[in-house]
Amino acid sequence: MTSLRRRLSGRLRRARRHPATEPPYAVTVRRRLRVPMDDGVELLADLYLPVGPVEPPLPTIVVRSPYGRHGSLTHAQALAGEGFTVLVQSCRGTGGSGGSFRPQLDEQRDGMATHRWVRRQPWCTGTVATYGESYLGYTQWAVAGRMCREDPANAPDALCLNVTMADFGPITWTNGAFSLGGSLGWSRLMDLRGVRGALVRARLARRPDRKLAEAFDVLPLSRGDTAVAGHPIGWYQDWVTHEALTDDFWTQQSHTASVPDVTAPVYLATGWYDIFLPWQLRNYAQLVAAGRPPRLTVGPWGHRGEQSPFLAESIAFLKEHFAGAPATRPAPVRAFLTGAEQWHDLPAWPPPGTAAQRWHLHPSGLLDPAVPDAGATRYTYDPDRPTPALGGPSMGPNPGPVDNSAHERRPDVVVFRSPPLEHAIVLAGEPIARVRFRSTAASADLFIRICDVHPDGRSMSVCDGIRRIGGIGTAATDPRPDEDGFVTLEVPLWPAFHRFAAGHRVAVQVSSGAHPRYARNPGTGEPAATATTTVRAEQEISHDGAHPSRIDLPIWTGTAATRRPR
């Protein structure tokens, strides 16, 4: 009777919609199915079923989430309305599922057990796809490669992944710098589960989180969770105390090595301002190198991606593969060119015709292909007054370009600008800065940002990156200083697809922090979790002609692209 009421209520709601939004199928839902894991723990799941026969049959979609089963993040209702059978499962220790939630650590074994269980159910349609974004995408990577290699009969037949990656270690410790904003912010939200947590989350959605802002400034870092939550958060303690990505804690939850083992078709979507962008594009490159190039969309959005076509493109992708629907795209890659506000259909990423160009940092503040003769640029970094984060990729609602013109006047930020461009240039790929650098501190960070300087003086952010030296987690990769104490640091920046118009200038910022996006570097080289002492650092960039500091910009000169309207 309850199911009938839900069906009738759903039909009445749909009857009031415009016909263009009417889904092909009504949907019924079976709540709180119990899915047994190999260790006896049961995870709860909801099953969404389209009403009536679906011809030809479409895949059963598995969605595994730690964020609950009833929110809009799963898109289960919309997918089932298109004819897909959808199972939405709460990860271990969340949403009423048994066991304890240990982020990343249990997703492979639980995911594999879930896929084998799904294949045995009478409602399984014969093929199985996976779907989801962020952590929901990680749960897909956790099972796909290993199952394709070891258990192909139960492996997923297709994957749809949005704003995600196969290993959360590198985003937590990005080139040695701790991603404080994302790590502590996410821990705060996940800790606020239950009825009281829902009320707090609703309040925080309406106003700034003052406790979180205060916690960002707490030293040592290992006390940040107690400052915001009132108690230690187990996984946050694990993250902040394991600085080296070679630690077993991180390697056991990394599925990057198994990405090339995925034989099923894959659709990837991401945004130029997403926190996972570099690693998702590297996962794309892994599949290309394995001879199985996925479908890829990269748009002008961040992690939340409200404007992302992920749902619609996933439906089209799956119907093409499993129902013989006509192809909806002329090329495997669709990328939005910022600065020109154009979509391009491309054969690959980066697009053919892209080559690195060297642009050197001059002591006069010039950015130019010419090599400087000598000189140095100096600035002071004070961790007690850390250089603030401004814009850049984030989990927030507005992560797009930000005007840096005031930020660039700070004494702890130095800027190198090109002359006005005679012709437009297009950045297409991952820029890499190579800076000859020394510091008076035992440990230091280099934060590099590229901006598009408009004729009116606005300096709009394009992409950025960070690299630490002298940290616990960087010891194995730190370059050796030369006889003058300088090291040449390679700093990979976020990938970009951006057009600098004629008359604009290219700017490269150099600083030593972006707090609290990345935790400030105290400068002592002590373990980040326990360090409380801070030291001011005198930083120096060398422009020696024999070892010039530079940035290599991937410039696209090809024309093999189809422009699409905005």
Side-chain angles (χ1 to χ4, degrees):
M1 180 64 70
T2 300
S3 176
L4 178 60
R5 283 199 299 269
R6 286 178 180 148
R7 286 167 58 187
L8 291 173
S9 176
R11 286 174 179 171
L12 287 173
R13 286 195 301 271
R14 286 192 297 273
R16 291 192 291 267
R17 295 175 181 165
H18 189 279
T21 66
E22 180 76 15
Y25 297 92
V27 177
T28 62
V29 185
R30 301 180 189 172
R31 304 285 184 187
R32 301 179 66 84
L33 277 65
R34 309 185 78 84
V35 184
M37 298 295 102
D38 294 341
D39 61 352
V41 169
E42 292 184 325
L43 306 188
L44 296 186
D46 294 341
L47 181 64
Y48 291 74
L49 295 161
V51 176
V54 178
E55 293 295 340
L58 293 172
T60 297
I61 295 179
V62 173
V63 181
R64 304 191 62 251
S65 171
Y67 305 123
R69 301 185 302 280
H70 313 311
S72 60
L73 187 64
T74 67
H75 297 145
Q77 186 78 30
L79 290 166
E82 291 291 331
F84 298 94
T85 296
V86 184
L87 183 83
V88 181
Q89 181 188 68
S90 289
C91 294
R92 180 179 292 249
T94 71
S97 289
S100 299
F101 180 52
R102 304 187 306 162
Q104 295 100 254
L105 297 180
D106 296 307
E107 304 310 344
Q108 185 172 83
R109 66 169 180 170
D110 289 350
M112 292 171 66
T114 299
H115 276 269
R116 291 169 181 147
W117 179 85
V118 166
R119 295 277 186 176
R120 297 193 299 267
Q121 303 312 304
W123 41 258
C124 181
T125 57
T127 54
V128 175
T130 56
Y131 178 92
E133 58 192 71
S134 194
Y135 196 99
L136 285 65
Y138 173 83
T139 66
Q140 300 177 60
W141 283 129
V143 304
R146 182 173 177 183
M147 293 195 80
C148 284
R149 184 179 66 249
E150 299 178 4
D151 188 9
N154 289 305
D157 298 298
L159 290 77
C160 298
L161 306 113
N162 185 29
V163 292
T164 190
M165 61 188 291
D167 179 355
F168 282 3
I171 180 60
T172 306
W173 286 96
T174 304
N175 297 320
F178 185 62
S179 298
L180 177 62
S183 298
L184 188 56
W186 188 83
S187 296
R188 160 76 154 159
L189 291 176
M190 291 302 294
D191 186 64
L192 292 172
R193 286 177 287 173
V195 175
R196 177 183 175 277
L199 295 174
V200 176
R201 288 198 305 272
R203 186 177 72 246
L204 294 178
R206 298 191 301 269
R207 66 186 70 169
D209 189 341
R210 179 182 55 81
K211 291 186 69 174
L212 181 61
E214 293 173 352
F216 286 149
D217 291 334
V218 168
L219 287 179
L221 289 180
S222 59
R223 296 288 298 169
D225 51 352
T226 299
V228 72
H231 58 85
I233 299 173
W235 62 76
Y236 178 82
Q237 293 295 314
D238 285 335
W239 296 345
V240 79
T241 56
H242 291 89
E243 291 190 47
L245 296 182
T246 53
D247 289 351
D248 289 343
F249 173 78
W250 292 115
T251 58
Q252 68 179 313
Q253 56 86 62
S254 173
H255 306 291
T256 299
S258 68
V259 168
D261 295 326
V262 176
T263 55
V266 174
Y267 164 60
L268 301 172
T270 185
W272 295 123
Y273 314 113
D274 179 47
I275 59 173
F276 296 129
L277 172 67
W279 301 280
Q280 186 159 358
L281 291 183
R282 290 168 197 167
N283 295 153
Y284 161 86
Q286 287 180 283
L287 291 171
V288 170
R292 292 181 288 276
R295 183 173 297 184
L296 173 68
T297 295
V298 193
W301 47 76
H303 191 68
R304 293 189 183 181
E306 287 86 351
Q307 305 303 316
S308 170
F310 177 58
L311 173 62
E313 290 195 350
S314 294
I315 291 170
F317 170 77
L318 294 172
K319 288 186 175 181
E320 287 175 33
H321 279 281
F322 297 100
T328 57
R329 293 171 55 152
V333 175
R334 177 172 294 166
F336 188 84
L337 179 61
T338 60
E341 312 305 298
Q342 295 172 341
W343 284 99
H344 286 254
D345 290 309
L346 306 166
W349 180 261
T354 300
Q357 292 184 6
R358 293 183 177 181
W359 293 54
H360 293 94
L361 314 183
H362 288 247
S364 62
L366 176 68
L367 179 69
D368 192 80
V371 179
D373 294 327
T377 300
R378 299 176 180 86
Y379 63 97
T380 301
Y381 175 72
D382 184 355
D384 290 333
R385 297 174 178 81
T387 312
L390 181 70
S394 77
M395 298 176 69
N398 300 302
V402 175
D403 184 5
N404 281 241
S405 55
H407 183 76
E408 291 172 354
R409 292 192 289 271
R410 290 179 57 94
D412 55 359
V413 178
V414 295
V415 186
F416 304 87
R417 298 182 182 88
S418 74
L421 298 172
E422 295 182 4
H423 305 284
I425 62 172
V426 173
L427 197 66
E430 190 172 285
I432 299 178
R434 292 176 169 87
V435 180
R436 191 165 181 256
F437 174 81
R438 70 180 175 186
S439 174
T440 58
S443 179
D445 295 347
L446 264 185
F447 181 78
I448 312 291
R449 170 169 287 161
I450 294 175
C451 289
D452 182 343
V453 182
H454 293 232
D456 62 7
R458 288 175 297 143
S459 185
M460 306 302 294
S461 53
V462 175
C463 61
D464 53 43
I466 197 167
R467 168 78 184 270
R468 173 166 295 184
I469 54 171
I472 300 297
T474 70
T477 58
D478 283 347
R480 289 182 177 274
D482 62 20
E483 62 274 12
D484 296 318
F486 284 96
V487 295
T488 298
L489 286 183
E490 289 195 359
V491 184
L493 276 63
W494 243 241
F497 192 34
H498 182 81
R499 180 179 183 270
F500 294 84
H504 288 217
R505 293 186 291 169
V506 181
V508 172
Q509 291 178 22
V510 181
S511 64
S512 288
H515 181 79
R517 177 178 161 198
Y518 299 109
R520 55 184 156 170
N521 190 335
T524 62
E526 298 173 301
T530 56
T532 56
T533 301
T534 61
V535 295
R536 284 167 58 98
E538 303 301 325
Q539 321 289 50
E540 186 173 355
I541 301 166
S542 171
H543 305 288
D544 176 26
H547 309 283
S549 296
R550 70 177 198 263
I551 188 164
D552 294 344
L553 301 179
I555 302 299
W556 184 40
T557 58
T559 58
T562 302
R563 292 177 179 164
R564 300 180 62 84
R566 184 179 177 184

